[in-house]
Amino acid sequence: MNWNQLGWGIVMGMLSAHANAVEPWAPTDSEMASLPPYCMARFKSGQDSPEYKMWEGKLGKDFLHT
């Protein structure tokens, strides 16, 4: 293997890693079960849902960063 082949291998490896990073992500039900209850409102309910509004009222508008 020469340096040119090695360089292309590194570039291709970096590009393939980036492609995986942009795929949409959503927690599974088992992952959600291990999180606090306000996370369900954050990930599974919309910002207009009653659950979201309840947690926003209790924890403040920045509860997304809790």
Side-chain angles (χ1 to χ4, degrees), residues 2-3 16-17 22-23 30 36-37 43 47 49 54 59 63 65-66:
N2 65 34
W3 286 106
S16 66
V22 296
E23 292 179 8
S30 61
F43 288 111
Q47 291 184 356
S49 71
M54 179 195 69
L59 300 174
F63 90 95
H65 304 290
T66 302

Side-chain angles (χ1 to χ4, degrees), residues 43-59:
F43 288 111
K44 299 282 185 173
S45 303
Q47 291 184 356
D48 293 327
S49 71
E51 295 85 11
Y52 187 97
K53 295 290 184 189
M54 179 195 69
W55 285 109
E56 185 178 56
K58 288 183 177 187
L59 300 174

